[in-house]
Amino acid sequence: MAINMKGKNLVSIDDLSREEVVQILEIAEIIKLRHYSQESQPILKGKVLGMIFQKPSLRTRVSFETGMIQLGGEAIYLGPDDIKLGQREATKDIAQVLSRYVSGIMARTFSHDIILELAKYSSVPVINGLSDLLHPCQVLGDLLTIKEKKGRFSNLKLTYIGDGNNVAHSLMFGAVKVGMDIVLAVPPGYEPRSEIVEKAKEDAQKIGSKLEIIHNPKEAANGADIIYTDVWTSMGFEKESENRKNIFKPYQVNQGLVSKAKDDVIILHCLPAHRGEEITDGVVDGPHSMVIDQAENRLHAQKAVLALLL
Ligand code: CP
Ligand code: NVA
């Protein structure tokens, strides 16, 4: 049964029902197929997406902008110096004014509260394009990639190795939403936020999947179907970078760690990668790595989100 998602926000995967996540992935597959068969899909003709960025971006910016253009609409990039979010006027004024111009707002911010405030005061859908807490669009693309490569979500061990950050948070929400087992190996003190873990565990219990947080990367990699990693230092935490390099060293995804996983393991990374830190060249460029397909799937997954919400 199709679910009408028009006008909804995408702040967190946790706000979506399992059926809504499944629907996004199904629409993404159709949109991707049509794109590959060069079928024009002008379903967002006349619509405009306002894109607010407090932080840099390659994938999010280009995939959203290209996605809008491919669906017949347009996108306006609003970088840190354009609207000076948080400095020039109140966020709620930005949300209300932008809502009178554009059909949807996508925002990448430092504080997650800004995303929540935009969503509260905007009368058009607000899409979280990464905050310090969450990165839901990334994980929708990741789920699409896993579905394509593995053909299922059940009986899979998804292993995340590294920092308990925004990507890890959304990955937990996404995995349990579709019934995938997930284990995270993180250094002590860098665990995901407890309130996110608790929420994700509730969903895991409902659907019967496992969610585990451990400290041993080898144990986590053992028998894994998917190994996922991300940078040790996220945007906004640069001052901690040197200290983190020492703490996270045992959590590097290298050939040794990958050899613990299943023979057909796939390696995922949201990118940008810090080669030689959280992942070696050999692994990121190796035969198990799907990171470029994964980056491409941001485009298709987000086009599905745009088609459904705007
Ligand atoms: N993965 C991701 O969001 O990449 P960007 O920071 O380049 O947008
Ligand atoms: N965790 C990373 C993801 C970048 C796409 C960051 O927030 O910088």
Side-chain angles (χ1 to χ4, degrees):
M1 192 187 73
I3 307 158
N4 185 357
M5 295 173 72
K6 285 273 171 288
K8 280 196 86 148
N9 298 316
L10 174 52
V11 170
S12 169
I13 291 186
D14 191 46
D15 298 336
L16 303 175
S17 67
R18 173 183 156 78
E19 290 72 25
E20 285 171 332
V21 172
V22 168
Q23 175 165 283
I24 292 169
L25 300 177
E26 283 173 359
I27 302 281
E29 284 173 328
I30 295 168
I31 284 179
K32 183 171 180 179
L33 203 67
R34 290 196 180 147
H35 177 70
Y36 273 33
S37 58
Q38 299 191 22
E39 218 177 294
S40 150
Q41 307 175 78
I43 49 182
L44 295 181
K45 196 167 184 318
K47 305 229 169 160
V48 177
L49 181 72
M51 307 192 300
I52 300 173
F53 280 90
Q54 283 192 313
K55 295 170 174 171
S57 167
L58 168 66
R59 281 143 290 270
T60 305
R61 182 199 168 164
V62 181
S63 56
F64 266 108
E65 193 163 336
T66 306
M68 280 304 292
I69 294 167
Q70 288 177 354
L71 294 177
E74 285 176 53
I76 300 175
Y77 173 75
L78 302 163
D81 285 333
D82 293 316
I83 59 172
K84 293 213 178 283
L85 185 73
Q87 295 171 48
R88 194 162 172 260
E89 59 190 314
T91 302
K92 69 173 175 185
D93 293 343
I94 294 175
Q96 292 180 89
V97 172
L98 256 186
S99 295
R100 300 289 175 99
Y101 301 142
V102 300
S103 331
I105 298 169
M106 191 276 295
R108 165 168 289 195
T109 62
F110 288 98
S111 153
H112 186 66
D113 285 346
I114 294 181
I115 303 276
L116 294 176
E117 208 175 346
L118 287 171
K120 182 171 174 192
Y121 290 102
S122 164
S123 56
V124 297
V126 169
I127 299 169
N128 179 358
L130 180 147
S131 68
D132 283 352
L133 191 70
L134 298 168
H135 198 1
C137 296
Q138 176 65 50
V139 169
L140 290 172
D142 302 340
L143 293 178
L144 180 61
T145 310
I146 294 168
K147 199 175 171 206
E148 282 179 354
K149 305 291 176 194
K150 295 288 178 192
R152 64 183 198 282
F153 291 122
S154 55
N155 296 317
L156 286 180
K157 180 179 176 182
L158 166 60
T159 293
Y160 174 91
I161 295 179
D163 188 21
N165 61 15
N166 44 8
V167 169
H169 289 155
S170 286
L171 200 61
M172 287 194 295
F173 279 148
V176 299
K177 202 58 95 174
V178 297
M180 204 166 16
D181 293 340
I182 178 166
V183 53
L184 294 91
V186 300
Y190 293 87
E191 291 86 359
R193 295 258 285 261
S194 57
E195 70 271 23
I196 305 273
V197 176
E198 289 317 310
K199 267 185 161 184
K201 274 197 171 155
E202 278 172 29
D203 258 9
Q205 217 160 22
K206 269 187 232 155
I207 200 162
S209 58
K210 274 188 270 169
L211 162 59
E212 237 188 319
I213 320 283
I214 62 173
H215 298 303
N216 186 334
K218 290 196 181 87
E219 187 187 329
N222 207 18
D225 295 281
I226 304 140
I227 294 182
Y228 195 126
T229 191
D230 184 16
V231 291
W232 292 338
T233 304
S234 287
M235 292 179 276
F237 297 85
E238 286 79 5
K239 273 193 270 176
E240 299 175 20
S241 167
E242 280 315 303
N243 189 33
R244 281 170 174 257
K245 272 182 199 163
N246 296 322
I247 293 166
F248 280 81
K249 227 176 220 144
Y251 294 81
Q252 184 186 66
V253 176
N254 51 34
Q255 300 290 5
L257 202 67
V258 172
S259 69
K260 308 257 171 248
K262 290 220 179 100
D263 290 342
D264 63 349
V265 64
I266 60 167
I267 308 296
L268 299 181
H269 189 311
C270 59
L271 303 179
H274 290 177
R275 288 162 175 261
E277 291 183 23
E278 78 276 0
I279 194 159
T280 57
D281 281 329
V283 172
V284 78
D285 297 328
H288 297 283
S289 173
M290 301 294 157
V291 300
I292 306 300
D293 290 344
Q294 181 188 3
E296 179 191 328
N297 277 337
R298 292 288 303 277
L299 173 69
H300 309 299
Q302 288 161 194
K303 280 167 78 177
V305 168
L306 292 165
L308 286 162
L309 268 46
L310 262 52

